[in-house]
Every structure is written in C-alpha cells, then in structure tokens.
Amino acid sequence: MFSTPPKQPSIISVTRLNRLARQVLESEIGQVWVSGELSNFVAASSGHWYFTLKDSKAQIKTAMFKGANRGVKFSPKAGDKVVIRGSLSLYEARGDYQLIGEHMEPEGLGQLKQAYEALKAKLSAEGLFAMEAKQALPISVRRLGVVTSPTGAAIHDILNVLKRRNPSIEVVIYPSLVQGATAAKSIAEQINIANIRDEVDILIVGRGGGSLEDLWAFNEEIVAYAISKSRLPIVSAVGHEVDVTIADYVADMRAPTPSAAAELVSTDKSQLERHIQQQQHRLSQVFQQHLKRIEYKLHLIESRLSNVHPAVQIRQANQHTDNLTMRLSQAINAKLNDAQGKITNATLRLQHASPINTIKDKKQQLQKVSEKLNSIQQRHLSDKRYQLQRIADILNSVSPLSTLSRGYSIAFKNNKVVRSVSQLEKGDVIETRISDGSVIAKIQEITQKQQ
C-alpha cells in the first residue's frame, strides 16, 4: 500500500505577509474614533505629522498626513489629550502597526458636538424651531428686559447702543450666570421670573462670545424649553456672528451679538421726533381748513343780511351773531378738547422718546398752537407773527451757534472746517471755535480712529 506524500506548506515572503496584514487591517476594521494622549510628536518638513497616541496601559504609532492635518483647528503638542478619527493600517517596510489619522480635535469637544446635534434634532422634531411657533416682536419697546450677567460685556454693549439710539427705553436686568455648571438653570429661572413679573415688552437673552464650552449653557434643554414657553417675545444674542446655539434656534429672533440685539429692539429717537412733527403739521392743517369753512359760512350769512330792512338786519344780525358765536365757541371748544387730547398723547410719546429739554420745547410749541386757536377771531395778525417766530425758533435750534452753545466746537485750518484727521499734519496751527470765543492750537499728535 502506497502512502500520499505530505503537502508542502505555502511559503510567502515577509513583504507579502506584511501586505496581507495591512489589507486585513484596512478592510476588516474600517474607520475608528480613538482617544488618548499625544507623545513623541514630530511635524516633518514635508508637512506630515508623526506621533504616538497612548493611554495608561497601551500605545499606538500614528501618522497624520498634511492633506488631513490642514483641517486641525488647534496646534497639537505632546501631552495634549485628543480624539482622532482614522483607519488602522500597517507600515510594510518595518512591519509597524499604526493608525492613519484623518481628523483630530481636543478631547471632550467631540462629545459636546454630539450632544448638541442630538438635542438639536430632538427639539426640531418637537417643533420648537418652527416659524409658526415664533412670536412677532413689538413695534415699539418702552421697557426692555435683559437676561445676562450684570457684570459682563454684553450688558454694557446693550446699554451703550440704547443710550445712543433711544435713551427713553427703560432697561430691567434679570441677573443670571452665563457660564458654568449651574448657568443653564439660572438662565431658565430668570426667563420664568421675567414672565411672572410681566413688566417688560420684550427680553434679550444672551452673553458675549466664547468657546463651545463657554457658550454651552445656551445649548441646554432647560433653557430651550424656558424660551419656548415664554409669553414675552425673546431675542437671543449669544456670542459672535459665527456662534449659533440651541437658544438661537428656539428664540423668536436671533441677533448675532448683544449690540445687534439692542439695535433690533430700539427705534431711533430722531424717527419718533419726525413722526410727531408730521402729526403736528397735519393737525394744524385740519384746524386751518375748519376755520376757513367757518369764515365761508359767515360770508354767506352777511350776504343774506344785506337784502333785509336795516332794522330787521340789526335784529337778525344780533341773533345770527349770538347763534354764530355759540356755534363757533362750541366748535372751537370741541376742537380745542380734541387738540388737547392729541397734545396730551403727543406729550406722553415725547416723554418716552426724547430728552427732557426736547419735551419742554415741544410742549411749548403745542401750547402756542392751542393759544392761537383760542384767540383766532381777535388775533389773525398775531397768528402770522407767531408762525414767523416759530420758524425763527426752528432755525435757531439747528444753527451752528446753538450747537456750539451745547458744548461742541468746530476746528478750522486756513479758515476751512477740519472734517477729518487726514487734513492735518503734526505742527499745523488750527483755530478751535467754541460758544464764547476761539482757541489757537498747534498739532502735537494725531491719532487715526481704527476702522
């Protein structure tokens, strides 16, 4: 009986073995996320990075080529704790098992981003981001609520904008933490308190810019639900323009910065003044038209009286005069009452929209209009003089001398107004005119305002 000779084993080279191992690692395991500490970090002149990723019990050699490491948003160094996305491979020449990195970020940031995306998807599915769930902002804001840190930069930015645009808006600060473990609870509580008190027209909720970790309180579920349930309209103002938080999606309106939020909710006081002036002009026109109608009726009555016997004319004239006087008095009183009501409303709007001195000026003008109506029969000529005086007052209020009297000054170089520092050079002699004289000065230093 013959026996079968043993089968010879398949013999492969080291190169072939390493290639097979590499192919298995790359095809079977696929992409992985690995966390660890950087060590032996080398940035080669080619632009590639080579380092070891380790933890307390093991380590793996890692390569991150320049096409991938260009997307890293920080400068890694030995000792940094990071999270790397990559694929397992094997460097065939040396038989080194290694990780080929494709993405790197600081440890902890990845978990925050995942939590952010998960909550964003959940709240979107619940309809908290839907446009139909958002409230319209009030056209006019008299009292503004701000939920933020009372010592942070955000509240100072908001107050500075309001002081410039409309100082009549009252501001109620609801002090809150805006960073840290308890910040989200503090923000939600202050939003609820503002709704309970119901003392403001609208809320700004926000803080200045920062990292994802700094802004995380505004990505918490408790804040999102507090904004969604608020009866008061809410404008979110979190961070700088590139930062978008969960609070921004839920709020009725998003502003890129606290300053932009203040611009959004405030109306420029000059617009209010122009509106009041337009209303005043319309009121004056209505009064003039009404008086012209009364004068026309008087002329008709006078023409009818001319065809009657003198004695009868006298009696009828007396009766008509008495009747006309009463009707005219009633009409004037009615118009004065109506005008007084409008004047009162305009005065209240002025109190909320203008500085005290401007309000006094407008009240004086309205009072002059009222006095003119009260004495229109006897002082037609005075009416024209009053209009002339009024025009003179308006011209005086916008004259350069009036501007100088309020503490401003005008600089001249060679008898020409200096409008920009680009017109000046060191050593130039300028004349500065103020309300009660002028000052001659020599330029020692010029500071260009940063654009």
Side-chain angles (χ1 to χ4, degrees):
M1 185 174 183
F2 298 97
S3 62
T4 303
K7 187 177 181 181
Q8 294 295 322
S10 176
I11 299 174
I12 61 175
S13 66
V14 174
T15 299
R16 176 64 176 163
L17 177 62
N18 282 353
R19 184 166 300 161
L20 289 172
R22 178 181 61 80
Q23 291 172 350
V24 170
L25 287 172
E26 292 178 352
S27 62
E28 295 298 325
I29 297 180
Q31 193 177 79
V32 293
W33 286 82
V34 185
S35 65
E37 179 183 326
L38 298 179
S39 68
N40 302 320
F41 185 88
V42 175
S45 59
S46 62
H48 308 321
W49 294 347
Y50 301 98
F51 52 89
T52 300
L53 190 64
K54 67 178 184 177
D55 58 20
S56 60
K57 297 181 180 180
Q59 63 181 23
I60 183 174
K61 290 185 177 180
T62 307
M64 195 167 188
F65 301 115
K66 65 179 181 180
N69 63 39
R70 284 174 182 168
V72 177
K73 304 300 184 184
F74 67 104
S75 299
K77 62 183 182 299
D80 287 350
K81 295 192 179 293
V82 298
V83 175
I84 295 178
R85 185 189 74 232
S87 301
L88 289 176
S89 185
L90 185 139
Y91 182 44
E92 295 180 16
R94 288 201 300 265
D96 288 340
Y97 159 73
Q98 64 182 357
L99 176 67
I100 305 300
E102 300 168 3
H103 173 78
M104 179 190 295
E105 61 188 38
E107 187 178 56
L109 188 59
Q111 290 88 334
L112 287 178
K113 287 184 177 179
Q114 291 177 13
Y116 173 89
E117 293 297 336
L119 180 59
K120 181 180 173 183
K122 174 187 174 184
L123 298 179
S124 179
E126 293 177 6
L128 268 68
F129 302 164
M131 290 302 300
E132 54 268 23
K134 299 185 183 300
Q135 304 181 68
L137 304 188
I139 297 175
S140 176
V141 176
R142 292 180 300 172
R143 302 191 79 190
L144 168 66
V146 183
V147 177
T148 191
S149 169
T151 59
I155 188 62
H156 295 292
D157 292 344
I158 291 171
L159 293 176
N160 286 336
V161 170
L162 294 180
K163 182 179 179 180
R164 170 174 54 83
R165 284 177 58 83
N166 195 340
S168 67
I169 295 179
E170 297 181 43
V171 178
V172 179
I173 301 174
Y174 299 92
S176 169
L177 299 174
V178 293
Q179 185 173 336
T182 60
K185 180 180 178 182
S186 176
I187 294 168
E189 287 177 349
Q190 292 303 316
I191 293 174
N192 294 333
I193 289 173
N195 276 270
I196 293 172
R197 292 181 181 175
D198 194 21
E199 59 190 351
V200 297
D201 302 313
I202 191 171
L203 281 176
I204 292 178
V205 178
R207 54 155 289 163
S211 65
L212 180 60
E213 294 91 337
D214 294 337
L215 305 180
W216 191 252
F218 296 90
N219 290 321
E220 294 280 2
E221 186 172 331
I222 187 174
V223 173
Y225 284 127
I227 294 175
S228 175
K229 295 176 182 178
S230 173
R231 296 189 307 276
L232 296 171
I234 291 181
V235 175
S236 67
V238 183
H240 302 298
E241 294 188 12
V242 296
D243 304 319
V244 181
T245 64
I246 296 295
D248 293 326
Y249 287 109
V250 182
D252 300 300
M253 183 69 71
R254 183 223 174 198
T257 63
S259 295
E263 294 269 0
L264 184 65
V265 303
S266 61
T267 302
D268 196 334
K269 62 182 179 182
S270 62
Q271 295 178 356
L272 292 176
E273 290 176 352
R274 285 195 296 272
H275 175 71
I276 292 172
Q277 289 174 352
Q278 290 171 356
Q279 293 298 104
Q280 179 182 340
H281 180 66
R282 290 179 59 190
L283 182 62
S284 177
Q285 288 181 327
V286 170
F287 289 155
Q288 291 294 334
Q289 292 172 359
H290 182 73
L291 290 173
K292 287 180 180 179
R293 287 195 295 268
I294 293 176
E295 290 177 355
Y296 175 72
K297 291 180 180 180
L298 283 172
H299 289 310
L300 288 178
I301 293 172
E302 289 175 353
S303 64
R304 291 172 185 173
L305 286 174
S306 62
N307 298 322
V308 183
H309 188 276
V312 178
Q313 287 184 11
I314 293 173
R315 290 196 302 269
Q316 291 182 352
N318 290 334
Q319 292 175 352
H320 284 302
T321 300
D322 293 340
N323 183 46
L324 185 60
T325 300
M326 289 187 293
R327 290 174 58 190
L328 183 61
S329 177
Q330 291 173 352
I332 291 176
N333 288 335
K335 287 297 178 181
L336 285 175
N337 290 336
D338 182 56
Q340 188 62 47
K342 292 180 179 179
I343 290 169
T344 301
N345 291 335
T347 301
L348 292 175
R349 288 196 299 272
L350 282 171
Q351 289 174 347
H352 291 294
S354 305
I356 295 176
N357 291 334
T358 304
I359 294 174
K360 290 181 179 179
D361 291 341
K362 300 302 178 183
K363 289 175 69 176
Q364 288 175 358
Q365 293 176 14
L366 291 172
Q367 182 62 34
K368 288 179 180 179
V369 172
S370 178
E371 292 174 355
K372 171 190 168 184
L373 292 173
N374 196 34
S375 60
I376 192 65
Q377 290 179 296
Q378 295 82 19
R379 300 177 59 190
H380 184 73
L381 182 59
S382 296
D383 176 46
K384 301 300 180 181
R385 292 174 179 171
Y386 166 73
Q387 292 179 12
L388 180 61
Q389 180 62 43
R390 184 179 172 199
I391 292 171
D393 291 342
I394 294 173
L395 288 174
N396 182 61
S397 68
V398 298
S399 70
L401 293 177
S402 178
T403 301
L404 293 177
S405 68
R406 294 198 297 271
Y408 292 91
S409 62
I410 304 175
F412 292 84
K413 176 185 175 183
N414 298 328
N415 293 325
K416 294 184 179 179
V417 176
V418 177
R419 303 180 185 276
S420 170
V421 295
S422 62
Q423 298 176 239
L424 301 176
E425 294 182 357
K426 189 173 180 179
D428 284 350
V429 176
I430 62 171
E431 177 187 1
T432 302
R433 296 182 186 176
I434 54 181
S435 62
D436 58 351
S438 61
V439 176
I440 305 300
K442 185 176 183 180
I443 302 298
Q444 294 185 348
E445 183 177 351
I446 299 174
T447 301
Q448 180 72 41
K449 181 179 178 182
Q450 297 297 323
Q451 297 297 324

